[in-house]
DNA sequence: AAAGTAGATTGCCCTCGGTCAATAAACCGT
DNA sequence: ACGGTTTATTGACCGAGGGCAATCTACTTT
């Protein structure tokens, strides 16, 4: 629902009635059917999307292969900041893995919105900080842990993903092949 | 110099005379001698630091080993958002590799500053977006490229680092051992 | 200048994960 | 329910990178 944006954002900042009004008007509802795309690599990512419900897979194509680099489960915000801010083609595609209810706002509308309310500007900052935090943590995991540790960490920290997405995508996410992912899993379940 | 903050920030937002005044007052100068620490892992990172000049190595300790996960060359801002925002112990140490001129602001002072000026709130958002962008790119490189590609990319994109930091640190940064780093480099210089 | 410490390089061996291929199972569209 | 496609698992083989140790060099420290 449209009002989910309000509910979600209220977790981070205090919104006035007017702020809520602005949010409601600025975000355009966009339904994305399972397997369809919210963004295709090479296009400009001219929006920030609030994913009210559903699941979005972020992937990049390398040597003809899709590399899944993130899985976003609603409610959350997604965008490609590099493309969004610099107005350049995106390196990523956003594909729905489940029917997804999204609400999008364009660059210009967003900046206008930022100028109208400090709470919203603050919200934008907090969202960016959260992305920064998450991907810093992800980089650290990738350079400091071995594949087997990363599998264990994934099992422990995001078990819900195993119902939502295929193992080949999960394997990409932690930088290994689907075959290794399968082998490591079976190795883990035998040993412990 | 203190005024470097103003110069740097002006690249991102328009600052009024008053904004400049506020910035000057809010940031406390902190000199960090080569090899000394701006932050030690386990402490709370209660500040955002503007690095006016110098070089800071970010590292995390894993199994008793230092894992260098970022190198920040001034001018730039650094912090650990996870620790800073949630007020929890940091997973990182910040060590100066060169004598470093930093200017720090505390959490409370920063939030006060955000309330005083939308330009500064905006600045905070843009800094966070930049971190998000950089570390998203870093994660992608780690999951989509092989060690040899990452070495080549590092050589191409940040050659200046080879003068500033030891190879063992650069090796960590791209998730390989110093020995492999050395071997891959010599392999590269022979082949093409 | 000497001694001691840290970094870089190289060799050897080994392991883990990558690659390729075959099979089996689950999923999909019609 | 059917045939076709995608996915998961397993096997066999291989090779890049890891681990360890020895050597050599460069840098600090006194």
């Amino acid at each position: 629902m449209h009002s989910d944006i309000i509910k979600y954002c209220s977790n981070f900042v205090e919104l006035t009635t007017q702020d809520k009004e602005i949010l409601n008007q600025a975000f355009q509802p966009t339904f994305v059917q399972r397997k369809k795309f919210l963004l295709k690599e090479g296009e400009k990512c001219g929006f920030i999307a609030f994913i009210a419900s559903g699941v979005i897979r972020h992937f990049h194509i390398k040597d003809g292969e899709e590399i899944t680099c993130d899985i976003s489960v609603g409610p959350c915000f997604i965008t490609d900041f590099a493309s969004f801010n610099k107005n350049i083609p995106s390196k990523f595609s956003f594909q729905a893995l489940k029917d997804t209810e999204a609400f999008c706002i364009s660059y210009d509308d967003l900046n206008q919105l930022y100028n109208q309310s400090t709470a919203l500007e603050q919200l934008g900052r907090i969202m960016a900080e959260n992305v920064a935090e998450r991907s810093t943590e992800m980089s650290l995991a990738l350079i400091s842990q071995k594949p087997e540790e990363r599998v264990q960490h994934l099992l422990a920290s995001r078990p819900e993903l195993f119902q939502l997405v295929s193992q080949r995508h999960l394997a990409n996410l932690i930088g290994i092949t689907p075959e290794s992912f399968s082998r490591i899993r079976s190795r883990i379940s035998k040993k412990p």
Side-chain angles (χ1 to χ4, degrees), chain A residues 4-15 75 123 126-127:
Chain A
D4 290 340
I5 306 180
I6 311 287
K7 208 177 298 173
Y8 182 73
C9 293
S10 298
N11 295 329
F12 303 101
V13 293
E14 297 263 340
L15 298 170
L123 181 67
I126 292 170
M127 294 302 105

Side-chain angles (χ1 to χ4, degrees), chain A residues 22-23 25-30 44-50 77-79 83-85 87 103-114:
Chain A
I22 296 174
L23 279 178
Q25 288 175 3
F27 282 83
Q28 302 306 316
T30 312
K44 284 172 189 163
C45 177
F47 60 84
I48 289 185
F50 174 71
F77 284 98
I78 65 173
T79 190
S83 174
F84 184 70
N85 283 328
N87 199 33
F103 296 88
C104 298
I105 186 168
S106 71
Y107 184 86
D108 289 341
D109 286 352
L110 182 66
N111 278 288
Q112 208 177 316
L113 180 153
Y114 282 155

Side-chain angles (χ1 to χ4, degrees), chain A residues 79-177:
Chain A
T79 190
D80 171 6
F81 277 123
S83 174
F84 184 70
N85 283 328
K86 300 181 193 158
N87 199 33
I88 56 175
S90 178
K91 286 181 190 158
F92 304 101
S93 295
F94 296 155
Q95 184 187 30
L97 295 182
K98 305 275 176 199
D99 287 354
T100 294
E101 229 185 341
F103 296 88
C104 298
I105 186 168
S106 71
Y107 184 86
D108 289 341
D109 286 352
L110 182 66
N111 278 288
Q112 208 177 316
L113 180 153
Y114 282 155
N115 290 330
Q116 286 173 49
S117 157
T118 43
L120 299 179
E121 176 81 55
Q122 202 186 338
L123 181 67
R125 175 174 57 79
I126 292 170
M127 294 302 105
E129 286 173 359
N130 289 347
V131 175
E133 198 184 312
R134 284 208 331 143
S135 49
T136 300
E137 192 183 333
M138 193 164 157
S139 300
L140 178 62
L142 289 166
I143 62 178
S144 69
Q145 299 176 344
K146 299 192 208 291
E148 182 165 339
E149 296 178 281
R150 300 202 296 268
V151 173
Q152 283 174 320
H153 183 255
L154 188 67
L155 280 159
S157 66
R158 304 188 71 184
E160 74 283 6
L161 289 188
F162 288 74
Q163 332 301 5
L164 290 174
V165 317
S166 66
Q167 289 190 195
R168 77 185 308 102
H169 297 333
L170 294 181
N172 294 176
L173 210 53
I174 58 174
I176 62 177
T177 61

Side-chain angles (χ1 to χ4, degrees), chain A residues 4-60:
Chain A
D4 290 340
I5 306 180
I6 311 287
K7 208 177 298 173
Y8 182 73
C9 293
S10 298
N11 295 329
F12 303 101
V13 293
E14 297 263 340
L15 298 170
T16 65
T17 312
Q18 202 192 355
D19 289 334
K20 295 177 186 174
E21 195 59 40
I22 296 174
L23 279 178
N24 270 326
Q25 288 175 3
F27 282 83
Q28 302 306 316
T30 312
F31 181 76
V32 190
Q33 206 183 349
R34 181 173 138 83
K35 304 232 169 156
K36 297 279 201 260
F37 289 79
L38 187 56
L39 176 72
K40 285 202 175 166
E41 183 166 346
E43 296 173 357
K44 284 172 189 163
C45 177
F47 60 84
I48 289 185
F50 174 71
I51 308 302
S53 68
V55 182
I56 297 288
R57 176 170 76 101
H58 306 227
F59 70 87
H60 167 73

